[in-house]
Amino acid sequence: MRALLLIPMLAGLVGCEAVEEADYFMLEPGNSWTYALIQGGADGDEWTLTISDASEREETQRGDLWFALMRPEPDPIDPDLTIQVPHREFNMSQEADNTGEEPIPIGYTYRAVENEEGQLDQFFVKYGGSDEDWSNSWDFEWESETGTTSWTYEINADRSTDPVGTGLGTWEDNIIVDRTIAQTNIDAFGDPTTQTRLHHEVWSAGAGLVRYRFTSAEDLVTEAVMRQANAFTIE
């Protein structure tokens, strides 16, 4: 993956050391995870996350990686069939500080994305530091060309050693990422209406995304925990 020169972004990353000994995100082509729903959805529903090379995505090949978190839904043509639809889908690239002798990975930024998820060139995730109490946060805004819809994104990331249980065991070295997405629509009378959605992610060292919770604008909660993965082996 390419390493980009990101001097303007480094100001907000003071004290954020690269993590080389522990990969929390496991964002490598070919890695995949299966998740069991423990809240929301139908009985037996499973979600899948796959990481592919961006060149494999038909819609756009921008960036390095293609992130696809899929959920099952009834086929709109034949309700007896189930199809996989994207819950979150975007392309991204790995970014690095290339000012020294060796590139220092910083995190991953969006390269092809819907407004619901984020904005081009903004960070999807950042690498954590080595301190146990490491934390970081960032935010950004986006407005439609018509000016009738705008989005505000607030992301908070914290290092945590609290145990998080999944179908593949318990994980105690985690980065907790909370995303708050507020979408504001202006109606024909100029009155604003804001809807808020929440994403809660648990990224574990050596395992990737192990737990995920989504709260919709209607306060409906869907939560999934990792059931299977090919991204790592359990010794």
Side-chain angles (χ1 to χ4, degrees):
M1 297 182 184
R2 64 178 178 271
L4 303 183
L5 182 62
L6 295 178
I7 296 176
M9 293 186 181
L10 295 180
L13 295 169
V14 176
C16 178
E17 302 175 13
V19 174
E20 299 180 356
E21 71 278 3
D23 186 352
Y24 293 90
F25 305 112
M26 309 292 286
L27 299 176
E28 297 290 339
N31 285 355
S32 65
W33 297 259
T34 301
Y35 302 91
L37 266 65
I38 59 175
Q39 189 173 184
D43 290 342
D45 275 359
E46 289 186 339
W47 289 23
T48 58
L49 170 60
T50 58
I51 307 298
S52 306
D53 192 283
S55 63
E56 299 179 24
R57 188 177 181 187
E58 183 177 344
E59 293 82 357
T60 174
Q61 289 77 50
R62 289 193 63 187
D64 298 318
L65 299 172
W66 170 21
F67 179 108
L69 178 61
M70 312 294 284
R71 68 174 189 269
E73 281 192 1
D75 188 312
I77 300 176
D78 185 350
D80 292 330
L81 297 178
T82 299
I83 60 174
Q84 297 293 319
V85 298
H87 178 72
R88 301 172 73 180
E89 186 177 29
F90 50 87
N91 290 12
M92 58 187 168
S93 289
Q94 186 183 54
E95 313 294 355
D97 171 16
N98 201 29
T99 58
E101 294 183 0
E102 296 291 336
I104 301 175
I106 298 173
Y108 293 86
T109 55
Y110 297 110
R111 288 303 181 200
V113 65
E114 298 294 331
N115 292 330
E116 170 62 25
E117 177 66 42
Q119 184 181 357
L120 290 178
D121 301 325
Q122 296 288 344
F123 276 99
F124 166 57
V125 290
K126 296 180 181 180
Y127 284 105
S130 58
D131 296 335
E132 184 173 306
D133 60 352
W134 173 89
S135 64
N136 209 331
S137 63
W138 61 100
D139 58 76
F140 52 94
E141 297 180 355
W142 177 250
E143 185 174 296
S144 65
E145 293 183 0
T146 62
T148 57
T149 306
S150 61
W151 294 263
T152 300
Y153 309 86
E154 296 181 358
I155 302 96
N156 292 287
D158 297 281
R159 179 84 172 274
S160 173
T161 56
D162 293 337
V164 173
T166 74
L168 287 180
T170 300
W171 309 88
E172 297 181 352
D173 184 0
N174 307 310
I175 292 178
I176 311 298
V177 180
D178 286 302
R179 306 175 191 274
T180 302
I181 303 172
Q183 177 179 329
T184 300
N185 297 302
I186 308 296
D187 64 20
F189 302 99
D191 296 324
T193 301
T194 300
Q195 294 182 321
T196 302
R197 301 170 178 85
L198 306 175
H199 300 268
H200 175 81
E201 307 157 8
V202 180
W203 300 86
S204 296
L209 183 64
V210 300
R211 197 177 188 101
Y212 172 72
R213 184 173 68 245
F214 173 67
T215 305
S216 71
E218 296 77 24
D219 290 329
L220 299 177
V221 176
T222 304
E223 186 166 10
V225 295
M226 179 176 62
R227 171 176 283 173
Q228 295 178 335
N230 75 350
F232 60 92
T233 57
I234 299 177
E235 298 180 357

